[in-house]
Amino acid sequence: METVTLDGLDRALLHALHVDGRAPFRRIAEVLGVSDQTVARRYQRLRAAGVVRVVGRTDARLLGQVDWLTRIRCVPDAAAPLAEALARRPDTSWVSLLSGGEIVCNARARLRPEREELLLGALPRSPRVLSVSAHYLLRTYVGGQVAWSGRTSALTDGQIGRLRAAAGTGPTAAEAPGLPHVPGVPDVPDVPDVLDGLDRALLAALAVDGRGPLAALAAATGSPETTVRRRLAALVDGGLLFFDVDVDPRPLGFEVEAFCWLTVAPGRLAAVGRAMAEHPEVGFVAATTGPSNLVAGLVCRDTGAFYDYLTQSLGELEGVVAVETAPLLRSVKRAGMIMPSSNNP
């Protein structure tokens, strides 16, 4: 990935996308007080550089599916090949290599039989795997539909209100010319019969590019633009489809990423999760099953800031009994996209 420095307009654009991932460039431009062309150029530059991606995602519960967080410990030199193999699976969305030969993988499956194939079949048969533990993601406090506060503080309340009030179905072909192709994204996994063929094709296209213009979505689904517009609105209004904005934290000045597992007193679990969701160092936090009942993805400016967060902001939360941390070495897959090795430190 090329080195990218973000200015105030770039940060405001990223914040606007968190408010409405498919907001037309003209609407964002009006709110930011710049031209449509300026916004389009900035977005295309950031997307081509791997700084930002808008992707369509579905609500697992409405599809009869479960989101899993899997921890895999293996011999250190076997970790990278296994992580890359997991990233190629269509049921994984995030795959991260941690220190000490550990892999963290987010996967989605129905209760059966996909769960048993992933957790009891493929992983234990992998050579040099030392242990596997898998846990339900029970409640997400930040991440996905709830944006990380560390990257969404550039707009005023008035600007946010204007974007939300005018929310629509998104960019037209003329507003999104020449968007770069993003390789490495597999088809979305099969879903129950609640979705028809048009829905499946539409979700597959949005999983690659959540800002795909209606003309491109119509071509991908073989349906008229008016039909695609109606179906897109119905999926969003029904809560099945939402748009996630994946931002590389490094251009924002965050150089240290880590996973953190917490054991929290049950009566304080929700309060701690909500409190952590307000911390700018926390990009993701969710309640899980397992010996630790809260997992967080941390993003800090440097190791000193990481230490300060653990000893101060996190250390002051009532109900936290134990904390385990592991630095993230490499993101192998992010938001459904396999990452080129050049995009990793």
Side-chain angles (χ1 to χ4, degrees), residues 285-341:
V285 62
T288 74
T289 58
S292 59
N293 51 6
L294 203 65
V295 61
L298 305 182
V299 283
C300 299
R301 299 202 176 276
D302 51 34
T303 54
F306 184 29
Y307 172 81
D308 290 341
Y309 178 73
L310 294 177
T311 58
Q312 298 174 22
S313 300
L314 187 59
E316 294 171 357
L317 294 179
E318 180 183 351
V320 176
V321 177
V323 176
E324 176 190 358
T325 61
L328 186 150
L329 302 182
R330 179 158 68 96
S331 293
V332 182
K333 191 176 190 180
R334 293 176 62 98
M337 185 178 79
I338 298 174
M339 304 301 294
S341 57

Side-chain angles (χ1 to χ4, degrees), residues 218 223-231:
S223 301
E225 288 188 33
T226 53
T227 300
V228 171
R229 185 188 293 273
R230 286 196 302 269
R231 190 61 61 89

Side-chain angles (χ1 to χ4, degrees), residues 170-192:
T172 64
E175 293 173 324
L179 293 182
H181 174 66
V182 180
V185 184
D187 292 336
V188 294
D190 287 340
V191 293

Side-chain angles (χ1 to χ4, degrees), residues 69-84 86 94-106 123 128-135 257-262 291-292 294-296 324-332:
L69 180 76
T70 305
R71 299 181 66 179
I72 306 155
R73 291 185 173 90
C74 54
V75 176
D77 62 1
L82 178 56
E84 290 161 3
L86 287 168
W94 296 78
V95 179
S96 302
L97 273 173
L98 307 187
S99 60
E102 183 172 4
I103 302 166
V104 172
C105 172
N106 286 75
L123 294 179
R128 308 177 78 184
V129 171
L130 303 177
S131 67
V132 178
S133 63
H135 314 283
E257 296 182 73
F259 273 82
C260 179
W261 291 269
L262 299 91
S292 59
L294 203 65
V295 61
E324 176 190 358
T325 61
L328 186 150
L329 302 182
R330 179 158 68 96
S331 293
V332 182

Side-chain angles (χ1 to χ4, degrees), residues 70 107 124 162 268:
T70 305
R162 289 169 62 190
R268 294 290 303 169

Side-chain angles (χ1 to χ4, degrees), residues 24-329:
F25 290 141
R26 65 177 181 275
R27 186 189 314 143
I28 297 175
E30 290 171 359
V31 171
L32 301 186
V34 297
S35 70
D36 302 15
Q37 293 82 2
T38 296
V39 171
R41 285 196 302 269
R42 291 296 185 103
Y43 174 74
Q44 291 170 27
R45 168 178 167 267
L46 294 175
R47 188 172 186 268
V51 175
V52 63
R53 288 178 61 237
V54 179
V55 294
R57 295 180 58 189
T58 54
D59 187 312
R61 293 171 298 175
L62 296 182
L63 294 175
Q65 299 173 330
V66 175
D67 284 320
W68 292 85
L69 180 76
T70 305
R71 299 181 66 179
I72 306 155
R73 291 185 173 90
C74 54
V75 176
D77 62 1
L82 178 56
E84 290 161 3
L86 287 168
R88 291 191 291 271
R89 293 179 60 103
D91 52 4
T92 62
S93 55
W94 296 78
V95 179
S96 302
L97 273 173
L98 307 187
S99 60
E102 183 172 4
I103 302 166
V104 172
C105 172
N106 286 75
R108 176 174 291 189
R110 301 185 211 178
L111 291 179
R112 295 182 179 86
E114 291 92 340
R115 174 190 66 181
E116 296 178 0
E117 193 281 325
L118 172 65
L119 303 178
L120 302 180
L123 294 179
R125 287 199 303 269
S126 301
R128 308 177 78 184
V129 171
L130 303 177
S131 67
V132 178
S133 63
H135 314 283
Y136 286 147
L137 291 178
L138 299 174
R139 178 68 56 86
T140 299
Y141 299 100
V142 67
Q145 299 188 61
V146 184
W148 167 39
S149 62
R151 61 188 175 193
T152 55
S153 57
L155 300 183
T156 66
D157 290 342
Q159 289 173 313
I160 294 171
R162 289 169 62 190
L163 282 168
R164 287 178 174 165
T169 56
T172 64
E175 293 173 324
L179 293 182
H181 174 66
V182 180
V185 184
D187 292 336
V188 294
D190 287 340
V191 293
D193 294 334
V194 65
L195 302 177
D196 62 17
L198 170 57
D199 295 324
R200 293 167 185 259
L202 180 57
L203 292 174
L206 292 169
V208 176
D209 181 7
R211 287 189 57 83
L214 287 174
L217 297 177
T221 59
S223 301
E225 288 188 33
T226 53
T227 300
V228 171
R229 185 188 293 273
R230 286 196 302 269
R231 190 61 61 89
L232 179 58
L235 291 171
V236 172
D237 292 343
L240 191 147
L241 171 67
F242 66 95
F243 295 97
D244 189 11
V245 182
D246 176 39
V247 176
D248 187 329
R250 288 170 292 174
L252 291 169
F254 296 92
E255 296 294 337
V256 173
E257 296 182 73
F259 273 82
C260 179
W261 291 269
L262 299 91
T263 303
V264 180
R268 294 290 303 169
L269 181 60
V272 171
R274 289 193 296 265
M276 291 183 67
E278 299 296 325
H279 296 166
E281 298 88 353
V282 178
F284 165 78
V285 62
T288 74
T289 58
S292 59
N293 51 6
L294 203 65
V295 61
L298 305 182
V299 283
C300 299
R301 299 202 176 276
D302 51 34
T303 54
F306 184 29
Y307 172 81
D308 290 341
Y309 178 73
L310 294 177
T311 58
Q312 298 174 22
S313 300
L314 187 59
E316 294 171 357
L317 294 179
E318 180 183 351
V320 176
V321 177
V323 176
E324 176 190 358
T325 61
L328 186 150
L329 302 182

